[in-house]
Amino acid sequence: MIDEFAKDNLHGRLRRDREALLWKLDGLSEYDARRPLTVTGTSLLGLVKHVATVEARYFGEVFGRPSPEPLSRWQDSDGSDQWAAENETRDQIIGFYRRTWEHSDATINMLPLDAPGHVPWWPEPYADTNLFAVMVHVLGESNRHAGHADVLREGLDGRTGLRPEHEKQIDEEARAAYRAKIEQAARSAAPIKAKRVSHVT
């Protein structure tokens, strides 16, 4: 009973994070969806492509159910799963992600939580694992990157939120006042820290 509860809970949260990540592309131009928004080149569409590839590998090869999607060998990974090439459309990448969900969900639904799996890119003695550990790992990856997408999207146009139904109209004046309050607290704390350091030395 507890296994089914745990499995359903993890699976439900994974589905939630998948949808949240895709929503961060909503209404963006092709350029804004693809352009690097950090010094390391992270983009919103690149995050979707990367998480799709992660899911395809973990719920595919790890359990002897290779993804029907064309994937390069994990040994040949070159970072190309983290950004959208100019010949890849947004619809293609989103379609890849959604088809991966179907394959992943089939794996999750057909196997018990203690079903054995093997992750060849994990070091020993961790490579031999089970569905529970993989679900937790993939949920962590999806959650982490959905959080990255939150911050990137906020930086583009100020839109925030976990799900569309929780999105609120942006109150620019209230946001500016709130940010100013935090900025003031940070500036006020800075001299205190400097004073403490000088006192110690």
Side-chain angles (χ1 to χ4, degrees):
M1 193 71 172
I2 189 65
D3 280 0
E4 283 308 308
F5 171 80
K7 186 177 177 181
D8 290 346
N9 192 277
L10 290 171
H11 201 177
R13 289 175 179 273
L14 179 59
R15 289 187 178 110
R16 177 201 65 187
D17 288 348
R18 290 166 172 170
E19 294 290 353
L21 182 56
L22 277 189
W23 175 51
K24 295 304 173 179
L25 295 173
D26 183 52
L28 288 180
S29 67
E30 283 299 318
Y31 175 64
D32 282 341
R34 297 164 174 271
R35 68 184 173 110
L37 297 168
T38 70
V39 294
T40 56
T42 306
S43 69
L44 283 162
L45 194 56
L47 285 174
V48 171
K49 184 179 176 184
H50 173 65
V51 174
T53 304
V54 167
E55 267 211 41
R57 292 197 191 285
Y58 276 98
F59 292 118
E61 180 180 348
V62 168
F63 296 100
R65 302 186 70 252
S67 170
E69 299 294 321
L71 298 172
S72 62
R73 297 187 322 147
W74 64 267
Q75 299 96 324
D76 300 329
S77 178
D78 59 0
S80 60
D81 70 312
Q82 299 184 33
W83 58 282
E86 57 192 52
N87 64 337
E88 292 178 299
T89 69
R90 185 189 319 210
D91 286 346
Q92 284 174 334
I93 291 173
I94 291 174
F96 165 44
Y97 194 21
R98 289 191 180 279
R99 290 189 302 275
T100 294
W101 296 358
E102 293 177 10
H103 189 73
S104 299
D105 289 347
T107 298
I108 292 167
N109 289 333
M110 73 182 288
L111 298 176
L113 281 180
D114 62 354
H118 180 76
V119 186
W121 51 89
W122 283 4
E124 296 297 343
Y126 308 106
D128 288 322
T129 186
N130 59 31
L131 180 63
F132 175 76
V134 168
M135 287 185 75
V136 170
H137 179 80
V138 174
L139 177 59
E141 282 279 315
S142 300
N143 189 268
R144 177 172 180 247
H145 292 311
H148 291 155
D150 283 341
V151 175
L152 295 182
R153 184 60 192 258
E154 182 179 347
L156 280 173
D157 59 11
R159 287 182 66 179
T160 61
L162 178 63
R163 294 192 290 273
E165 61 268 27
H166 294 164
E167 187 176 20
K168 297 178 181 175
Q169 187 169 355
I170 298 171
D171 183 335
E172 299 285 1
E173 188 174 327
R175 278 191 177 181
Y178 181 68
R179 188 181 186 284
K181 180 171 74 171
I182 298 170
E183 175 69 23
Q184 181 56 47
R187 289 184 181 277
S188 296
I192 294 172
K193 183 177 179 183
K195 185 176 180 180
R196 285 177 181 164
V197 170
S198 63
H199 178 70
V200 170
T201 56

